[in-house]
Structures are given as structure tokens and as C-alpha cells.
Amino acid sequence: MERTKILVTGGAGYIGSHAVVELYEAGFMPVIIDDFSNSRESVLTGLEQILGVRVPFHRVDCNDAEAMRAVFAEEGNLRGAIHFAAYKAVGESIEKPLEYYQNNIGSLLTLLQVMREFGVEALVFSSSCTVYGVPDKLPVTELTPTKKANSPYGATKQMCEDILRDVAAAPSNRLKTILLRYFNPIGAHASAKIGELPLGVPQNLIPYVTQTAAGIREKLTIYGDTYATPDGTNIRDYVHVVDLAKAHVVAVQRLLDGKGEVVETFNIGTGRGNTVLEVVHAFERATGQKLNYVIGPPRPGDVPAIYADVTKATQELGFRTTATLEEALASSWKWQQSLAAVS
Ligand code: WQD
């Protein structure tokens, strides 16, 4: 039987590449679009090693409507799309707001336009817990009010959500969409053939931790230990990227089955919050590595604490994470070691 084709924009990126694996293993045919603006071609080799086949790939910028039309025309029978492709660095977005608005909003508009032209009606969108800003109450549910974003990056995620709600509400509309609000994705595929590939000095915690353990960075600086949390460091909800990837398979299937509302929003996290120090100690336990770290000043813009209420995803999607924090961190370390072995 022919596999159902799902377009995966940003399919060479960190979360996108793991979703490609899970989609293929669930019986879909992922069709990757990526322009390698924040990923590398070697990801395609990793995917081929895991899957044993080369899935369709198009080197295209999602803002390029003509090139996007060519992909839809060539593939012929795309049934849905997952839109991962976006710029995602909070700090950089403050330096380059225009590029962030142009790329993140423009690519969604272009994708929606081309999907409509080709009658593709199912879209899963990569949103973020950043839309909640500094929440008044924890854990956050999907009904927790969003707050003014503290970066242009966060603002693009809120605007994209608004755009999707407006488009889906239009009387003539046929689009059905699921907005997945990711918490903090970590970890790597068990094969260590794909994982997070930060270009330059990592901004996110886990790649900084693994690079420190590998001797690439001298020490981790923990950004503040005087927050109102049990040990004073920030709380986040760290979700294994393979669990997160599986949420996309469930969401795509739900759209294709015609279940649910026209627009639905789900938190995708574990439902657990961990402090930065807990993560450091869990990493040490999981890997046997001693981590060199110091406490530094707070990072501007950091939310003191956030973690997900996952009741809705559990009840309506039947989605449940399975990996423990230690398992996720062990997989990040295995990936870091495989990177060190090739470079
Ligand atoms: C995690 C924790 C830091 C680095 C960002 C985006 C969010 C989302 C995921 C995007 C924080 C601390 C970090 C370091 C540290 N989506 N830390 N030393 O800020 O929670 O979320 O990524 O793509 O929208 O904002 O993730 O990994 O940067 O930080 O102490 O060197 O680790 O202060 O508490 P964050 P992060």
C-alpha cells in the first residue's frame, strides 16, 4: 500500500528530523523541505541510516512561493503538513527582529497559501510554551492566558497561532490545524545518528552541558540561583525529543481522521518541572560524568518557572511521554560522543 505523504518543513532540523523518523516508522511517507539555514545536510545521511531509505527531500526556502508550488506539484498527493521551519533563537530575535518576523510569519503565510491552492487541509504547527510568558499559576494549561511575549521570537509564535485561528475560522476555510506548544525538548534518537546540532556556542542548556562534559566548553554557567524555587534555579519541563516527535504522529493521524475541532491546542511536555541543578545532577548520575559548573547572574528574559499541565494531551490525544529525565540526558550524551567521534 502506498504511504500517505506528509510534508515536513524544517525536516532536517532538531525536532523535525526526529519527527521524520517517527512518521516513517508509523507508516507515513515524510517529504522533507529544508534550506539548511540552521541545519546540516549530514542529517539526511543520519535519517537514511536509521530508516534504511532516503525519504523525499527538497532544498527549498518556505518563503519562496514558486518553489513551494513546485514541491506540491511534483509530490502530487500530499495529505497534510507539519510546519517546523522557523528561526528559534530568543536572543538573536532581539538583534534581528525584522528577519524573525519576515521568516517566521512569511513562511507560514506562504505555506498556507500554497496548501489552499493544492487542497491540502491538515496542518500541525510548532508552537512553544513561550506564548505563556511569565505565568501567574503553575502548571500551565492550554487555557492559561498568554502574556506579552518577551522577545520577537515569542511574538512570532503568538502571531502564527493567531493567524491559524483566523484562517481556520473563516467561513470558506477547509483547513484543520493542531497547535503543539512544546516545552523544552532534549535528548536524541537512540541510534545517536541524529540529534541537536547547535551551530556555534550553544544557547540552550543541554547542548552546553554535553559540550562541557566533552571538554569543548570549560564550564557551564547556571543563570542564577536566587529564584523562588526549591534550590533557587529555574524550573523547566524537559521533554525527550522522541516523545515529542511521536506527538506529531498522533496529531497528524487525528487531523486525517477528521477528529477534533477545526483548531486545537495542546501542551506537549512531561508534566514535571525540574530545576537547572536537578538537571545537572541527573546528567551526572545518568552518564557518570562530573560536570564543571558555576553559578552566574540571571539571564535577562528568563521565566523563573514553567511546566506543563498535560491533562488535555493525555485525555484527547492519548499522548503520554515515556522517557525519564535521566534517559533523555543519557541519549544527549551518547549523541555528543558520536559527534566527537566524527569531528
Ligand atoms: C533552560 C534553562 C536557563 C543555558 C528556550 C526558548 C523557548 C523554547 C526552548 C525554542 C533556563 C538555564 C541555560 C546555560 C543555564 N523554544 N541555562 N545555563 O530558555 O527555557 O527556552 O528554548 O526554541 O521558547 O525560550 O531554554 O535551554 O535556553 O534554558 O543555566 O548555559 O537552563 O536559564 O533556566 P529556555 P534553555
Side-chain angles (χ1 to χ4, degrees), residues 5-7 72 76-82 111-123 173-176 256:
K5 283 188 188 173
I6 303 294
L7 187 73
F72 277 66
N77 52 349
L78 292 167
R79 291 284 310 283
I82 308 179
L111 175 64
L112 288 173
Q113 173 71 34
V114 177
M115 283 175 68
R116 186 169 66 181
E117 287 168 18
F118 284 81
V120 180
E121 295 166 0
L123 178 68
N173 167 70
R174 299 183 56 84
L175 180 80
K176 284 192 74 173
L256 297 183

Side-chain angles (χ1 to χ4, degrees), residues 131 146-149 154-162 165:
V131 300
T146 58
K147 297 274 190 70
K148 185 175 161 33
T156 68
K157 290 294 170 191
Q158 293 181 339
M159 289 176 190
C160 286
E161 285 200 1
D162 287 342
R165 278 188 280 266

